Amino acid sequence: MQTELFGGNEKGDTPESRAAKLRSEIERYNYAYYVLDAPVVPDAEYDRVFRELQELEAAYPELVVPGSPTQRVGGAPLAQFDKVEHRLPMLSLQNGLTDEEVEAFDRRLGEELGIAQVEYEAELKFDGLAVSLRYEKGVLVQAATRGDGMSGENITANIRTIRSVPLHLSELAPPEVLEVRGEVLMFKKDFQDLNRRQRESGQKEFVNPRNAAAGSLRQLDSQITASRQLKFFAYGIGELDGAPLPETQNRLLNWFVQLGIPVCEERKVVRGFKGLMGFFQAIEARRDALPYEIDGVVYKVNRLSEQQKLGFISRAPRFALAHKFPAQEVLTEVTDINVQVGRTGAITPVARLKPVFVGGVTVTNATLHNEDEVRRKDVRIGDTVIVRRAGDVIPEVIASVPEKRPADAREFVMPALCPVCGSPIVRPEDEAIARCSGGWIKCAAQKKGGLQLFASRKAMNIEGLGEQLIDQLVDRQIINDAADLYRLDLETLSGLDRMADKSASNLLDELGRSRETTLSRFLYALGIRHVGETTARSLAEHFGNLQDLMNATEEQLLEVDDIGPVVALSIRQFFDDVRNRELIGKLQNDGVHWPERAMKEKPPALPLQDRKFVLTGTLSSLTREAAAEIIRNLGGKVSNSVSKKTDYVLAGSEPGSKLAKAQELGIRILDEEAFVQLVKHDKDN
């Protein structure tokens, strides 16, 4: 049994007092997670504490009380919503955190059912919000959250805004009553778009897609919910009247599909422990590529008659198990905060952590992004923090846990001088990022970062010129800039660590091949601030040759698609720096070249040239896609979000929150008739 709770010394606790403390903590975390949609600890820590209480109650059955978190599900409904009593309880699932627990689950069910190999339906465990949809004679009449498992919140108005939820079932003779259980979630791209809009409007960002989905469903204004791009997947059934129950879980979900109810395609019928693990491993390998967040998979006995035979325990079905992935959010301590210097001189605070296993690797460092983020999250040296890692994404500190803060915790202080070259660190008034002022000539960190970009696949694509080799070349002062790469010889390269003659010869061949490139690749390789791969391609397409680009004014640069004042200024400043022009000249003298052409003449301005439109609601005479195409063909631009730069908002019927935002900003609103007249007038002129 665990003897420590969130850093506190629990020596001397009796089983009764320990259980009381655990219940209190879990209830607090339940309230933060289910009611406030603001979790204060990661899932892995919650699971650990919950399991400790389960083990304690198993060892001391007299401690089990009806109000224990182990005897119920979720949290109480919000007071703002009407209460809905579930006719059949909405239970949660038992968790399996190890392969051994999954094997024990399969063995137990096989013994109880008297079957050598149990047949399962293996599905995904979504990171969303569980809901119940009630259809009567094929019509959606009610939707509710799971709540505490016995009653939830009436969210019918908000559920109706989710386009994947059918308002009417497609079957001609639907059941008298069908209660569908499932999950509301937000896809990763929609989550990123939502947080971008939150930032642009100065509102609080959501921690993760699950909290975004939960917060969206609990809006009192259903128009806000409608703007949030929520999705729904069905995974189970509650009450059913007027139709036969399918024989298996698999056939149940197939029936849902026939009724027009969305079901995730990532599911499979498998047999025994080997089949379960095969599904788990296949999904885990593809997890980061999925368009939505999942935190594990779910195994359900496939035959519903066998499910009924196995029955339930107090808070979960005995025929199902949630097999969770290794934690991707965990607690650990910050031992120090120092800074790293990036390719452009950006100074990034980095939390040095007590080693912790998260997302399949041991993590010792996590980014804090910038000084403002450190202050906003109130992360201090000595704090306990929540760390997240997903796939190959750099680990980041999500939040601190102030209640665990030691008395001697220290605030982070941004250094005045660059830790690499000693140059002053400066922060422009209008930027969140502080930077080393030394530049790539003086600062080795910027020099190394610039060379890594120059050699990268999307730039000059010099295979074999990796980070460790660049470190040696810079640290030994063999090269000072990218042009020096083309003056390396076999003897110099062969004398470096881990470089034999063959490797050195191959690298020289790669350098020779890279001399022939394209203007867009070369521009990207230069590392001009704010100029990524797409912008480099636009510049090359617009100017056609380097000389015209280098001589272009800011006004001329603004004529390039998707280039605004900040990027134009950055490009102009880069080419005004004599050191950058010297580097370009050296590279050209060393044989780096690309096809060039004369700059294209500026096309005549189109009727809606550079005017920005936002579309919302349903149009009657044409689709929104068709309207957007008309706008683009006339030189206009279509955006997904309303801002001060928006010129027009085209509003159809049932517009979302974009209309209110446009009215607030005083932006011109067009109905469909006004839009048609505008387009017709501009075409005629």
Side-chain angles (χ1 to χ4, degrees):
M1 184 178 72
Q2 301 278 355
T3 58
E4 182 175 318
L5 176 62
F6 299 101
N9 186 347
E10 303 300 330
K11 291 181 180 179
D13 272 354
T14 64
E16 291 82 2
S17 63
R18 181 67 176 153
K21 288 181 180 178
L22 290 169
R23 290 187 192 113
S24 175
E25 290 297 314
I26 293 169
E27 288 295 354
R28 186 162 61 86
Y29 296 142
N30 277 345
Y31 182 78
Y33 189 95
Y34 290 101
V35 178
L36 301 181
D37 298 320
V40 294
V41 293
D43 288 349
E45 191 66 18
Y46 179 94
D47 290 342
R48 184 190 71 77
V49 179
F50 194 97
R51 177 159 295 199
E52 182 181 349
L53 180 58
Q54 285 180 313
E55 292 170 353
L56 190 61
E57 291 180 346
Y60 301 94
E62 67 273 17
L63 297 180
V64 179
V65 295
S68 173
T70 62
Q71 306 302 304
R72 65 182 183 86
V73 183
L78 291 176
Q80 298 97 316
F81 293 93
D82 293 336
K83 191 175 181 181
V84 174
E85 298 290 339
H86 297 305
R87 289 175 171 81
L88 296 174
M90 290 186 70
L91 302 178
S92 61
L93 298 172
Q94 301 179 75
N95 287 330
L97 305 179
T98 66
D99 297 354
E100 291 75 19
E101 289 175 329
V102 174
E103 187 173 18
F105 166 77
D106 175 59
R107 183 171 56 251
R108 174 176 61 79
L109 296 195
E111 291 171 353
E112 293 189 24
L113 294 172
I115 300 174
Q117 276 201 325
V118 179
E119 184 178 86
Y120 300 93
E121 171 85 345
E123 305 167 6
L124 303 187
K125 185 178 185 299
F126 300 108
D127 199 10
L129 189 72
V131 300
S132 172
L133 311 181
R134 183 178 178 85
Y135 291 88
E136 295 181 359
K137 296 182 179 180
V139 178
L140 178 65
V141 297
Q142 189 179 76
T145 62
R146 182 171 63 184
D148 62 4
M150 305 307 293
S151 63
E153 304 147 4
N154 188 330
I155 53 169
T156 308
N158 289 345
I159 283 290
R160 288 179 183 275
T161 70
I162 302 175
R163 296 192 176 187
S164 59
V165 174
L167 301 181
H168 300 83
L169 301 181
S170 59
E171 197 164 279
L172 293 177
E176 287 291 318
V177 175
L178 172 62
E179 186 185 348
V180 178
R181 304 282 173 79
E183 197 96 355
V184 170
L185 63 156
M186 184 175 287
F187 280 28
K188 295 174 184 176
K189 182 182 182 303
D190 296 326
F191 172 70
Q192 293 164 0
D193 290 343
L194 172 60
N195 266 350
R196 175 179 52 77
R197 295 195 299 271
Q198 294 289 105
R199 285 194 301 272
E200 290 174 352
S201 60
Q203 299 181 62
K204 180 182 176 182
E205 293 182 47
F206 291 93
V207 175
N208 53 44
R210 188 266 166 201
N211 294 103
S216 300
L217 271 186
R218 287 176 165 135
Q219 293 291 330
L220 296 179
D221 181 357
S222 60
Q223 289 191 354
I224 296 177
T225 307
S227 70
R228 295 284 175 84
Q229 298 298 320
L230 299 175
K231 305 291 192 303
F232 173 78
F233 283 137
Y235 56 64
I237 192 169
E239 188 179 5
L240 177 64
D241 182 23
L245 185 66
E247 294 181 355
T248 66
Q249 171 74 11
N250 181 263
R251 290 182 181 179
L252 172 67
L253 298 185
N254 290 341
W255 181 45
F256 283 168
V257 173
Q258 293 174 11
L259 294 172
I261 300 167
V263 171
C264 180
E265 295 181 356
E266 299 286 351
R267 55 192 176 94
K268 186 178 182 181
V269 176
V270 300
R271 291 181 177 273
F273 172 67
K274 185 176 180 181
L276 296 177
M277 292 306 301
F279 181 82
F280 178 86
Q281 291 161 3
I283 293 297
E284 186 176 30
R286 297 174 46 226
R287 178 185 185 184
D288 295 328
L290 295 174
Y292 36 71
E293 295 284 0
I294 60 172
D295 54 7
V297 299
V298 177
Y299 310 132
K300 301 174 184 175
V301 172
N302 195 29
R303 298 196 68 82
L304 301 189
S305 60
E306 292 174 354
Q307 290 187 10
Q308 188 174 12
K309 181 178 179 181
L310 290 165
F312 302 82
I313 54 176
S314 59
R315 68 183 297 272
R318 299 179 67 249
F319 54 79
L321 184 76
H323 188 180
K324 302 188 78 171
F325 293 130
Q328 292 189 296
E329 287 187 6
V330 295
L331 289 179
T332 189
E333 292 180 21
V334 177
T335 60
D336 199 0
I337 300 176
N338 49 38
V339 298
Q340 288 182 343
V341 186
R343 173 181 62 82
T344 63
I347 303 294
T348 303
V350 177
R352 306 302 178 184
L353 309 170
K354 279 190 176 180
V356 61
F357 192 76
V358 53
V361 299
T362 298
V363 170
T364 56
N365 306 311
T367 181
L368 287 164
H369 299 294
N370 56 59
E371 186 177 12
D372 288 348
E373 278 291 282
V374 179
R375 305 285 175 246
R376 184 179 70 81
K377 294 176 178 176
D378 191 21
V379 177
R380 306 182 187 182
I381 300 166
D383 270 356
T384 294
V385 293
I386 302 174
V387 177
R388 175 191 294 162
R389 180 183 183 273
D392 295 327
V393 176
I394 297 171
E396 65 173 326
V397 173
I398 300 302
S400 64
V401 184
E403 62 206 60
K404 291 175 62 65
R405 175 170 291 155
D408 59 351
R410 293 178 289 123
E411 291 191 12
F412 165 73
V413 177
M414 176 66 76
L417 302 177
C418 172
V420 175
C421 69
S423 299
I425 290 175
V426 296
R427 178 179 171 182
E429 290 184 7
D430 58 343
E431 294 188 19
I433 305 295
R435 298 182 186 277
C436 164
S437 61
W440 61 268
I441 291 293
K442 185 175 181 181
C443 184
Q446 295 183 57
K447 188 175 301 182
K448 291 176 181 179
L451 288 167
Q452 288 169 23
L453 173 69
F454 186 87
S456 65
R457 183 175 58 83
K458 293 180 179 179
M460 302 303 284
N461 193 22
I462 306 172
E463 190 172 337
L465 186 59
E467 181 178 348
Q468 293 182 347
L469 185 55
I470 288 173
D471 285 349
Q472 289 189 69
L473 292 169
V474 173
D475 292 342
R476 299 187 188 189
Q477 299 183 343
I478 296 172
I479 64 172
N480 189 54
D481 58 34
D484 291 340
L485 291 169
Y486 293 99
R487 300 168 188 178
L488 293 169
D489 55 41
L490 184 64
E491 181 180 358
T492 301
L493 287 173
S494 299
L496 298 175
D497 297 341
R498 300 179 182 177
M499 285 292 286
D501 286 351
K502 178 64 174 174
S503 299
S505 178
N506 289 341
L507 178 54
L508 290 174
D509 289 342
E510 280 290 310
L511 286 164
R513 181 198 53 75
S514 73
R515 284 186 169 93
E516 184 175 346
T517 185
T518 64
L519 178 57
S520 62
R521 280 181 173 271
F522 182 75
L523 292 174
Y524 177 61
L526 290 175
I528 306 169
R529 191 174 168 205
H530 300 308
V531 175
E533 182 187 9
T534 301
T535 303
R537 190 181 301 116
S538 297
L539 289 167
E541 176 65 23
H542 183 88
F543 287 98
N545 67 88
L546 183 59
Q547 197 60 49
D548 281 339
L549 170 59
M550 291 173 66
N551 295 335
T553 64
E554 288 183 51
E555 290 73 19
Q556 290 173 317
L557 290 167
L558 288 170
E559 295 174 3
V560 182
D561 287 344
D562 300 324
I563 287 185
V566 173
V567 181
L569 177 61
S570 177
I571 295 170
R572 188 62 267 150
Q573 289 175 337
F574 180 87
F575 288 121
D576 284 341
D577 190 324
V578 65
R579 296 173 300 180
N580 295 329
R581 286 181 173 262
E582 288 176 353
L583 173 61
I584 291 169
K586 287 168 63 177
L587 286 164
Q588 289 179 307
N589 290 336
D590 288 328
V592 177
H593 65 282
W594 52 86
E596 291 199 332
R597 57 167 174 77
M599 187 173 73
K600 292 180 179 178
E601 291 186 11
K602 182 179 178 181
L606 293 169
L608 296 180
Q609 192 73 40
D610 296 331
R611 285 190 253 181
K612 296 179 175 61
F613 288 75
V614 172
L615 281 59
T616 182
T618 303
L619 305 176
S620 60
S621 63
L622 71 166
T623 65
R624 281 166 55 171
E625 290 75 16
E629 186 175 359
I630 291 171
I631 292 167
R632 294 189 184 101
N633 288 340
L634 292 175
K637 298 180 180 180
V638 179
S639 174
N640 289 324
S641 57
V642 177
S643 70
K644 292 180 180 178
K645 296 181 179 180
T646 304
D647 294 300
Y648 301 100
V649 168
L650 171 55
S653 61
E654 299 183 12
S657 59
K658 296 174 184 177
L659 177 61
K661 180 71 179 293
Q663 292 169 334
E664 179 185 330
L665 294 175
I667 293 166
R668 184 177 173 186
I669 312 296
L670 301 175
D671 60 18
E672 196 165 345
E673 182 180 353
F675 172 71
V676 171
Q677 290 301 317
L678 173 70
V679 171
K680 184 176 184 299
H681 176 269
D682 282 334
K683 279 183 177 179
D684 293 342
N685 290 279

